[in-house]
């Protein structure tokens, strides 16, 4: 597009100075946490505070070796904690680099291609089809310019632009060319203002983390009370203050389930890795466990339920309608009836030669399938004149010259009523056209009218489209096809007790039609205008009943999410545009589209679908439910193995026996053995009917009273076995170090055996060994190998103060630990029978 001589754009030196003074054209609204934030969360966990306290006491006692080992555990677990978040951030950075726009700027009279972040206020930018607009601005010139603003408005139809109109950062040019003057960059754009609203929305807390916090607080109160009692008893009975405090810390570490946060992180991180293999990127780990509670899934229409790729759905001539969606491709036109060839021919002629507009691309694709070997395509014709779409006339025309005949050919497409007006149709025909167009629109189709005209080549071209003598051809209806996986995915959600709610900026007719195709309840559609006038109590009632909302503005999406949350619903929200970002962040689980999604949406979301596959949401929900079930089994197991640890910390003091466990032993158990064993639970497939069950209640605890009772019963069995063996060995005049080593072998072996009945809620004996995964076998083998190493290798056994056992003694202790599995399974069966109502 030519510019006037006086238009030279910004001076490069002025642009560089403005970039330094006002900053780059970036939003600067990253929701990511820094490495320091992640590390601080780990350090402030009660588990690590106790480890640090124990390390300080060892230093005070002059035992720097054990202190350093304990601190080493802190570093290892901290690394595990931050690894997943850092990997996720790297993936997001790659997405951000791919989506970063570039700009063609006029500076000092020269067109230069610059990075979008270098655009400054008052820059002159040339934009054309396919460009992503990098900043807000005012159009100085426009030629058939149209922009897709769905990322801001939610409406999928392109918006025609005229000189003096506003254009917005992040929107896509789908037709024409233009020259714009930049009026706002970065945070001062419409995109930036919506993005900044994210700062006022707090991230949703993790219900599971909240429950862990409450459990930890209760255990801390119990633990501190018992620890204080133990310290006083130890000091009174044995008179060693430092040893008394160390014994108290040992008991505290035994009572407080220090590894619970570690197990949570490990299971959630592994679940995130499995989701990543299914092209679902997890930005916040707590979203995985919240997925299992989801009761409402709010989805956008364009690009989420639909393919965001227009296709011709129907052709209409003189009241005759042809459904072409399932028409087989035939380049010679044999599959498409001859009567419809001309209508498709003129649809192509009324489009750009290399279109970016999705509708025009659909015409070209269909013509390539049906008209290639016919006389209805004209690659040799030249486009001589274009008549633009305008607010006054919603139609556009292309005038073609073939270079041979004495007439030019004019092809027109536009709104049916506008094209009917150009053709001067009689009232009866106009009414028939309007009725036909309304029927097509009710099916969710975008309807265009087509017309043709002839103009003598020697005549001057008229200034207005009305001056041509147009002949009506017919209607072309286009659809944004539903994604093929959507109906089944919606049905799976319904089976799982999850209500799917469509929230779109599109027309109510389109929304209703797509909802019907997807299987979403659409008895009533509420529009944004209706929503704006609803009192809060009426809105609360409607969100419980209505599942389709159309013509919704950005701030109303957030209002709907908040209204659903106020009803006690656990809300998952999908979206891709900037207009979706506040609602994505406010929802319990925000799900952004990775391929077409904006940076702002991805930053606000907890999950990112890398392939924009709606079915992946259902897979993620299934993974969330499975992870919660596995986490529950892991926690039952973890609490059970704490009981013998507490017993070995407390009972020897009460009965005057030598101490068995020190903080180093407990750290080894709770930060190495037990978390490693917990990986077994993550690999479990879970119940086959997980997605036929309703969502668990928001107030359903991870551990019910029955789960806690099961843990106590199973832990008591192991305690009796370990303490009984330890006391028996001391009674046989065994050396205290030998007895404590044998007791430790029994303890670890029994903990490993406890995995078998804890893997599932099934109570059959066959379920003990059924479905053991390779991970389970490796972990069990690794646990026993680690036990053998720390009890038999001298330089490893020395820090633990273990004495060497004979092969027979070691195998006997191992067998005694594994023998507890029969009693453990019996406890589970008894508790299940006792809990069953008569």
């Amino acid at each position: 597009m030519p510019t006037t001589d006086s238009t030279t754009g910004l001076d490069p030196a002025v642009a560089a100075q403005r970039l330094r003074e006002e900053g780059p054209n970036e939003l600067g609204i990253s929701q990511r946490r820094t490495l320091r934030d992640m590390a601080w969360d780990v350090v402030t966990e009660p588990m690590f505070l106790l480890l640090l306290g124990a390390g300080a006491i060892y230093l005070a006692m002059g035992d720097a070796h054990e202190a350093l080992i304990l601190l080493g555990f802190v570093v290892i677990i901290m690394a595990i904690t931050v690894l997943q978040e850092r990997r996720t951030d790297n993936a997001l950075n790659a997405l951000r680099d791919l989506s970063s726009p570039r700009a063609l700027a006029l500076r000092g009279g020269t067109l230069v291609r610059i990075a979008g972040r270098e655009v400054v206020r008052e820059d002159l930018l040339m934009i054309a089809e396919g460009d992503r607009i990098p900043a807000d601005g005012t159009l100085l010139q426009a030629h058939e310019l149209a922009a897709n603003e769905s990322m801001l408005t939610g409406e999928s139809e392109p918006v025609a632009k005229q000189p003096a109109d506003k254009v917005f950062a992040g929107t896509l040019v789908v037709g024409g060319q233009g020259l714009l003057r930049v009026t706002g960059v970065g945070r001062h754009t419409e995109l930036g203002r919506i993005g900044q609203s994210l700062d006022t929305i707090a991230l949703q807390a993790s219900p599971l983390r909240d429950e862990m916090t409450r459990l930890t607080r209760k255990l801390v109160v119990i633990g501190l009370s018992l620890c204080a009692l133990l310290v006083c008893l130890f000091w009174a009975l044995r008179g060693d203050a430092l040893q008394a405090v160390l014994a108290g810390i040992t008991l505290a570490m035994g009572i407080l389930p220090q590894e619970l946060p570690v197990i949570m992180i490990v299971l959630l991180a592994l679940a995130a890795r499995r989701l990543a293999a299914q092209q679902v990127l997890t930005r916040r780990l707590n979203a995985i466990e919240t997925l299992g509670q989801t009761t409402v899934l709010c989805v956008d229409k364009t690009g989420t339920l639909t393919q965001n790729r227009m296709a011709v759905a129907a052709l209409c001539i003189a009241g005759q309608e042809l459904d072409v969606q399932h028409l087989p491709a035939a380049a010679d036109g044999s599959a498409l009836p001859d009567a419809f060839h001309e209508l498709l021919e003129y649809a192509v002629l009324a489009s750009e030669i290399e279109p970016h507009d999705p509708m025009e691309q659909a015409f070209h694709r269909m013509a390539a399938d049906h008209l290639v070997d016919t006389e209805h395509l004209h690659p040799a014709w030249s486009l001589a004149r274009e008549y633009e779409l305008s607010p006054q006339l919603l139609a556009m025309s292309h005038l073609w010259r073939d270079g041979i005949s004495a007439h030019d050919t004019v092809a027109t497409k536009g709104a049916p009523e506008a094209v009917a007006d150009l053709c001067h149709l009689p009232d009866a025909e106009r009414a028939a056209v309007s009725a036909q167009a309304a029927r097509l629109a009710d099916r969710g189709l975008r309807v265009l009218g087509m017309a043709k005209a002839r103009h003598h080549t020697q005549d001057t071209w008229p200034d207005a489209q009305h001056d041509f003598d147009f002949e009506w051809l017919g209607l072309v209806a286009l659809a944004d096809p539903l994604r093929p996986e959507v109906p089944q995915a919606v049905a799976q959600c319904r089976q799982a007790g999850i209500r799917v709610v469509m929230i779109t900026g599109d027309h109510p007719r389109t929304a209703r039609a797509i909802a019907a195709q997807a299987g979403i309840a659409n008895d009533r559609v509420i529009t944004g205008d209706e929503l704006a006038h609803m009192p809060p109590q009426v809105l609360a009632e409607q969100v419980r009943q209505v599942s389709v909302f159309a013509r919704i503005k950005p701030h109303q999406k957030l209002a709907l999410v908040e209204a659903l949350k106020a009803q006690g619903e656990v809300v998952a929200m999908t979206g891709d545009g900037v207009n979706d970002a506040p609602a994505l962040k406010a929802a319990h689980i925000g799900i952004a589209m990775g391929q077409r999604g904006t940076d702002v949406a991805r930053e606000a979301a907890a999950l990112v679908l890398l392939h924009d596959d709606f079915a992946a949401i259902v897979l993620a929900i299934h993974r969330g439910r499975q992870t919660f079930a596995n986490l529950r089994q892991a926690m039952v197991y973890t609490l059970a193995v704490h009981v013998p640890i507490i017993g070995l910390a407390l009972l020897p003091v009460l009965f005057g026996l030598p101490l068995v466990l020190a903080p180093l032993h407990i750290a080894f158990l709770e930060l190495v053995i037990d978390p490693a064993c917990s990986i077994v639970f993550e690999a479990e497939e879970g119940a086959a009917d997980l997605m036929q069950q309703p969502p668990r209640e928001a107030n359903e605890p991870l551990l019910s009273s029955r789960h806690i009772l099961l843990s106590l019963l199973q832990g008591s069995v192991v305690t009796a076995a370990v303490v009984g063996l330890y006391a028996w060995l001391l009674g046989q005049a065994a050396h205290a170090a030998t007895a404590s080593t044998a007791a430790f072998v029994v303890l670890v072996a029994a903990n490993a055996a406890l995995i078998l009945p804890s893997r599932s809620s099934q109570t059959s004996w066959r379920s003990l060994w059924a479905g053991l995964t390779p991970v389970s076998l490796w972990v069990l083998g690794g646990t026993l190998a680690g036990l053998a190493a720390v009890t038999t290798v001298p330089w490893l056994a020395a820090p633990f103060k273990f004495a060497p056992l004979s092969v027979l003694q070691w195998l006997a202790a191992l067998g005694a630990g594994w023998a507890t599995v029969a009693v453990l399974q019996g406890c589970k069966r008894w508790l299940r029978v006792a809990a069953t109502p008569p």
Side-chain angles (χ1 to χ4, degrees):
M1 178 184 295
T3 62
T4 61
D5 294 339
S6 60
T7 305
T8 59
L10 277 182
D11 183 271
V14 173
Q17 180 181 358
R18 190 162 291 173
L19 181 63
R20 289 192 301 270
E21 292 176 350
E22 300 182 4
N25 179 31
E26 294 176 334
L27 300 181
I29 55 169
S30 174
Q31 301 293 310
R32 291 172 293 164
R33 298 193 304 157
T34 64
L35 185 62
R36 184 182 64 181
D37 294 334
M38 299 177 204
W40 179 251
D41 284 349
V42 176
V43 172
T44 53
E45 290 283 356
M47 168 181 61
F48 297 107
L49 295 177
L50 282 173
L51 284 176
L52 292 173
I57 291 178
Y58 273 121
L59 285 175
M61 296 171 62
D63 195 342
H65 186 246
E66 293 202 21
L68 290 175
I69 292 176
L70 290 177
L71 293 176
F73 285 135
V74 174
V75 174
I76 292 171
I77 302 306
M78 187 181 295
I80 294 174
T81 305
V82 302
L83 177 63
Q84 178 64 32
E85 287 198 45
R86 299 301 286 178
R87 289 176 66 246
T88 296
D89 283 349
N90 290 337
L92 283 172
N93 283 331
L95 284 172
R96 184 178 296 104
D97 291 341
L98 288 175
S99 62
S100 178
R102 298 185 65 80
L104 187 62
L106 186 63
R107 289 185 174 172
T110 303
L111 285 172
V112 292
R113 182 72 66 178
I114 61 175
R117 68 185 306 274
E118 297 175 7
V119 171
V120 297
R121 215 171 23 84
E122 296 187 349
D123 253 332
L124 294 184
L125 304 181
M126 306 288 292
I127 55 175
E129 293 181 55
D131 287 348
R132 181 77 65 179
I133 299 175
D136 284 5
T138 302
L139 285 172
L140 303 180
Q141 300 178 30
H143 177 66
E144 295 189 347
L145 186 67
N148 184 331
E149 298 181 347
S150 61
M151 61 173 295
L152 285 173
T153 65
E155 297 186 31
S156 57
E157 296 179 8
V159 180
K161 296 291 183 178
Q162 305 295 325
D165 284 353
K166 295 284 188 182
V167 291
F168 303 102
T171 58
L172 180 67
V173 179
V174 296
Q177 306 87 33
L179 175 70
L180 70 90
R181 185 184 301 278
V182 174
T183 58
V185 297
R187 284 177 171 264
H188 302 289
T189 61
E190 188 66 25
L191 184 152
R193 279 187 285 274
I194 295 176
Q196 287 180 66
S197 68
L198 298 178
D199 295 335
T200 64
I201 302 172
L203 289 172
Q204 292 297 310
S206 161
L208 187 57
R209 190 173 292 273
D210 291 343
E211 183 178 345
M212 289 290 185
T213 300
R214 292 192 296 271
L215 178 62
T216 301
R217 286 173 181 167
K218 292 177 183 178
L219 291 174
V220 164
V221 173
I222 297 172
L224 289 178
S225 302
L226 290 177
C227 288
L229 178 60
L230 180 62
V231 170
C232 293
L233 286 174
F234 194 104
W235 197 357
L237 295 174
R238 306 193 185 188
D240 189 332
L242 277 179
Q243 285 290 345
V245 174
L246 199 58
I249 287 182
T250 302
L251 179 59
M253 293 178 69
I255 293 177
L256 189 67
Q258 297 97 330
E259 73 275 33
L260 290 188
V262 180
I263 293 172
M264 257 187 67
I265 290 168
V266 169
L267 261 68
L268 294 178
L270 289 174
R273 185 174 180 179
R274 292 179 185 272
L275 284 174
Q278 297 171 332
Q279 304 302 309
V280 180
L281 181 67
T282 305
R283 296 201 63 243
R284 289 193 287 276
L285 289 181
N286 66 282
I288 295 175
E289 51 96 0
T290 311
L291 277 167
Q293 292 180 300
T294 301
T295 58
V296 174
L297 174 59
C298 298
V299 297
D300 188 23
K301 178 191 76 69
T302 305
T304 304
L305 297 177
T306 65
Q307 299 176 22
N308 199 22
R309 180 177 182 267
M310 300 297 288
V312 177
L315 301 175
C316 302
I317 297 177
Q320 180 185 359
E321 180 182 325
L322 176 69
D323 185 350
V324 301
Q325 287 181 295
H326 305 293
L327 207 62
D332 61 358
S334 59
L336 182 68
D338 290 343
F340 295 93
H341 283 195
E342 186 181 39
L343 181 60
L344 181 57
E345 171 190 0
Y346 277 85
V348 173
L349 290 174
S351 304
E352 298 293 338
I353 298 172
E354 294 183 358
H356 286 266
D357 183 283
M359 292 183 292
E360 295 184 348
Q361 290 175 343
F363 298 149
H364 277 263
R365 283 195 303 270
M366 187 174 181
D369 289 339
H370 296 285
L371 299 182
V372 169
D373 295 329
T374 70
E375 71 279 10
H376 295 285
L377 292 183
H378 312 284
W381 288 13
S382 60
L383 182 60
R385 173 73 188 267
E386 296 182 66
Y387 293 86
E388 299 182 19
L389 191 78
S390 69
Q392 294 75 31
L393 181 60
L394 297 178
M396 60 177 293
S397 298
H398 284 177
L399 187 146
W400 296 87
R401 177 165 291 173
D402 62 12
I404 300 174
S405 65
H407 291 86
D408 296 331
T409 300
V410 183
T412 294
K413 72 175 188 296
E417 63 275 12
V419 178
D421 184 54
L422 287 175
C423 295
H424 306 292
L425 293 182
D427 292 342
E429 291 187 33
R430 288 196 190 200
V433 167
S434 297
Q436 180 69 49
R439 287 193 294 270
L440 293 169
D442 285 337
R443 290 161 46 189
L445 304 179
R446 167 88 162 128
V447 186
L448 295 178
M450 299 291 166
K452 68 176 183 177
R454 288 291 186 95
H455 184 70
H456 197 278
T457 303
Q458 302 304 318
D459 292 344
T460 58
W461 294 323
D463 293 329
Q465 297 179 74
H466 272 290
D467 295 331
F468 290 109
D469 186 15
F470 282 108
E471 178 185 345
W472 175 263
L473 290 175
L475 297 172
V476 178
L478 300 102
D480 184 1
L482 198 71
R483 290 178 178 270
E485 72 275 7
V486 165
Q488 181 181 0
V490 171
Q492 287 178 313
C493 287
R494 192 164 50 248
Q495 288 179 351
I498 300 169
R499 182 162 65 102
V500 179
V501 175
M502 180 198 293
I503 304 175
T504 179
D506 271 337
H507 193 279
R509 285 177 174 171
T510 306
R512 186 188 296 275
I514 294 298
Q517 295 173 31
I520 300 172
N522 62 343
D523 297 334
R524 185 183 171 198
V525 178
I526 291 181
T527 66
D529 290 340
E530 293 173 328
L531 205 65
H533 296 93
M534 279 186 185
Q537 62 272 19
V538 176
L539 174 59
E541 180 66 26
Q542 293 300 325
V543 295
R544 282 198 295 265
Q545 302 174 359
V546 178
S547 296
V548 180
F549 297 87
R551 291 295 192 207
I552 297 297
K553 297 179 175 60
H555 68 277
Q556 291 176 322
K557 292 186 178 184
L558 177 59
L560 284 171
V561 169
E562 296 291 2
L564 287 165
K565 287 166 57 180
Q567 299 299 313
E569 306 283 5
V570 177
V571 182
M573 168 81 185
T574 71
D576 59 347
V578 178
N579 62 321
D580 298 324
L584 287 173
K585 188 177 179 184
H588 293 97
I589 308 153
I591 306 171
M593 301 300 169
Q595 287 182 316
R596 70 179 190 282
T598 61
D599 290 339
V600 180
R602 291 195 289 260
E603 291 285 357
L607 300 177
V608 179
L609 305 184
L610 297 183
H611 281 180
D612 294 1
D613 184 0
F614 183 78
I617 300 174
V618 180
L619 293 176
I621 292 174
H622 180 270
R623 175 62 59 184
R625 292 187 175 190
Q626 182 179 325
T627 299
F628 182 84
N630 292 343
L631 188 57
R632 171 176 280 169
Q633 297 303 125
M635 293 305 173
V636 169
Y637 164 82
T638 302
L639 290 181
V641 300
H642 270 270
V643 176
I645 293 174
I646 295 170
L648 284 179
L650 184 60
L651 294 178
V653 175
L654 296 179
F655 292 106
L657 302 176
L659 296 180
V660 179
L661 299 178
L664 183 59
H665 299 94
I666 294 180
F668 179 76
L669 285 169
E670 297 185 349
L671 298 180
V672 178
I673 297 297
D674 294 345
C677 291
S678 299
I679 297 176
V680 172
F681 298 98
E682 189 280 332
E684 293 296 318
E685 292 298 325
D689 62 345
L690 268 179
M691 290 301 285
Q692 279 72 52
Q693 301 173 10
R696 70 180 191 273
E697 297 291 335
N699 59 356
E700 179 183 341
L702 177 65
L703 297 175
S704 67
S705 56
R706 187 176 67 83
H707 296 121
I708 294 174
L709 180 57
L710 176 61
S711 294
L712 293 176
L713 279 174
Q714 293 181 328
S716 298
V717 170
V718 177
T719 303
V722 176
V723 176
L725 176 68
Y726 180 61
W728 181 80
L729 287 174
L730 290 177
Q732 299 298 311
H735 191 275
T738 302
S740 65
T741 303
F744 191 80
V745 172
V746 174
L747 175 63
V748 175
N751 285 354
L754 181 57
I755 290 175
L756 297 177
S758 300
R759 285 170 50 239
S760 74
S761 58
Q762 299 297 316
T763 57
S764 66
W765 292 99
R766 183 181 299 177
S767 67
L768 285 175
W769 302 97
L772 275 175
T773 63
V775 172
S776 303
L777 298 176
W778 274 105
V779 166
L780 289 172
T783 299
L784 297 181
L787 174 63
V790 298
T791 54
T792 60
V793 178
W795 64 273
L796 287 175
F800 293 89
K801 297 181 173 56
F802 287 148
L805 300 175
S806 68
V807 174
L808 185 59
Q809 288 174 324
W810 199 91
L811 291 177
L814 183 68
W818 274 92
T820 60
V821 71
V823 183
L824 297 172
Q825 179 72 350
C827 291
K828 189 167 128 182
R829 289 177 63 87
W830 174 82
L831 188 62
R832 172 60 62 90
V833 172
T836 303

